[in-house]
């Protein structure tokens, strides 16, 4: 009975992860990120019929992959098995997900795009760091998967921790985000208009500090959930952790970030 309940919980979590917020936003045209790589549009327009079909295919592939990875372990499932479960060809899987790891860590492109939009579309008197604080708290409040706090997330983290390949891809993703952020901070600092705050000193150092600080806060929330703490309780305390984290970053960075 316990195994049956866990299998049901695993499926409900994976189904929700694959077909929840992304599908709703694609059909309503509620834009969060740029481009159609993750199923969102940057200008607030509606997705075309072709784009919606591609998004649903992407979600189906990722959802089936997630179920298999959770059930059997990431390293014990082949891309060919994922393709059969999703009723597509192996080539189609790779068209949507260039690497096997991206089938499970499928929101990495969305994370990069959210950061880009937050900084480039911030208010005239808002610093890049303030924009990132606002983004982090908003994702947490909405229980967005990228916030790392939510029901069923223990299955996600256990799968990652059990796979050296997923852990390695996660480290690469952090480096990718750090590179993107460094470029965005340099761009903000070199705007030249004087109307928007962006003086964070060395952009590369600032990006490294911001990513490291957020990573510590994020990992702390994950560890608490793996330890059995209720997601609602973790979410409340994580908001306070994020506030303290960004307060510390503001003190550490020139010009408050």
């Amino acid at each position: 009975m316990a195994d049956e309940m866990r299998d049901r919980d695993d499926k409900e979590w994976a189904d929700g992860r694959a077909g929840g917020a992304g599908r709703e936003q694609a059909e309503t045209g509620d834009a969060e990120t740029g481009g159609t790589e993750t199923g969102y549009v940057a200008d607030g327009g509606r997705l075309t019929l072709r784009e919606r079909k591609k998004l649903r295919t992407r979600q189906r592939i990722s959802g089936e992959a997630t179920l298999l990875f959770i059930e059997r372990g990431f390293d014990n499932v082949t891309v060919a098995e994922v393709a059969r479960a999703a009723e597509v060809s192996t080539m189609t899987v790779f068209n949507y997900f260039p690497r096997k790891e991206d089938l499970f860590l499928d929101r990495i492109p969305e994370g990069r795009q959210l950061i880009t939009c937050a900084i480039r579309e911030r208010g005239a008197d808002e610093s890049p760091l303030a924009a990132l604080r606002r983004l982090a708290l908003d994702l947490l409040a909405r229980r967005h998967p990228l916030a790392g706090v939510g029901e069923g997330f223990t299955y996600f983290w256990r799968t990652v921790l059990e796979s050296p390949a997923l852990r390695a891809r996660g480290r690469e993703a952090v480096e990718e985000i750090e590179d993107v952020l460094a470029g965005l901070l340099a761009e903000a600092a070199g705007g030249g208009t004087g109307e928007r705050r962006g003086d964070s000193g060395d952009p590369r150092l600032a990006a490294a500090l911001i990513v490291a600080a957020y990573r510590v806060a994020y990992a702390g929330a994950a560890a608490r959930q793996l330890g059995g703490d209720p997601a609602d309780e973790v979410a409340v305390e994580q908001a306070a952790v994020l506030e303290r984290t960004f307060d510390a970053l503001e003190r550490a960075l020139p010009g408050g970030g």
Side-chain angles (χ1 to χ4, degrees):
M1 180 64 69
D3 290 342
E4 292 176 358
M5 291 178 65
R6 176 168 178 171
D7 289 344
R8 181 196 63 193
D9 290 343
D10 287 354
K11 186 177 190 306
E12 288 176 352
W13 175 76
D15 287 346
R17 178 175 177 271
R23 177 175 299 169
E24 178 182 352
Q25 286 162 331
E27 293 178 347
T28 61
D30 181 14
E32 284 193 312
T33 72
T36 58
E37 183 179 11
T38 57
Y40 300 84
V41 284
D43 59 3
R46 300 179 68 87
L47 290 175
T48 65
L49 176 60
R50 181 172 180 272
E51 289 168 338
R52 289 200 300 272
K53 287 181 177 178
K54 289 179 65 177
L55 174 58
R56 292 189 180 106
T57 299
R58 187 180 195 277
Q59 291 170 335
R60 185 174 73 253
I61 294 170
S62 178
E64 294 294 343
T66 296
L67 287 172
L68 289 171
F69 295 153
I70 289 176
E71 178 184 355
R72 294 166 47 194
F74 177 83
D75 299 320
N76 299 321
V77 177
T78 67
V79 174
E81 289 173 316
V82 171
R84 285 196 296 272
E87 298 183 336
V88 298
S89 68
T90 301
M91 182 177 295
T92 297
V93 174
F94 282 118
N95 285 340
Y96 285 92
F97 302 93
R99 299 169 59 169
K100 178 187 172 185
E101 292 81 6
D102 294 335
L103 282 162
F104 197 68
L105 303 176
D106 59 334
R107 289 184 178 267
I108 294 172
E110 183 183 349
R112 294 195 300 261
Q113 196 64 43
L114 284 170
I115 291 170
T116 299
C117 290
I119 292 179
R120 287 182 174 168
E121 299 174 8
R122 71 191 191 280
D125 296 326
E126 188 176 33
S127 71
L129 186 60
L132 292 173
R133 180 199 293 254
R134 176 168 49 81
L135 172 63
L137 291 171
D138 177 65
L139 292 176
L140 178 63
R142 293 192 287 114
R143 298 296 181 85
H144 190 287
L146 287 173
V149 178
E151 298 297 334
F153 270 54
T154 53
Y155 301 127
F156 172 83
W157 286 115
R158 286 190 188 118
T159 302
V160 172
L161 291 175
E162 290 170 357
S163 169
L166 285 176
R167 294 201 305 273
R169 179 66 183 115
R171 289 191 293 270
E172 288 181 357
V174 170
E175 293 174 358
E176 291 169 9
I177 289 173
E178 187 176 309
D179 286 341
V180 169
L181 182 55
L184 290 167
L185 294 177
E187 177 184 293
T193 64
E195 296 177 355
R196 289 157 65 118
R197 294 174 56 207
D199 181 15
S200 57
D202 181 346
R204 174 67 59 180
L205 177 59
L209 290 172
I210 293 169
V211 170
Y214 184 79
R215 184 179 182 181
V216 170
Y218 190 92
R224 288 195 56 189
Q225 290 172 98
L226 284 168
D229 289 353
D232 288 341
E233 180 182 312
V234 174
V236 171
E237 296 188 16
Q238 182 69 354
V241 170
L242 288 173
E243 292 284 14
R244 292 195 299 271
T245 297
F246 280 96
D247 285 346
L249 286 168
E250 284 188 352
R251 293 190 297 269
L253 296 174

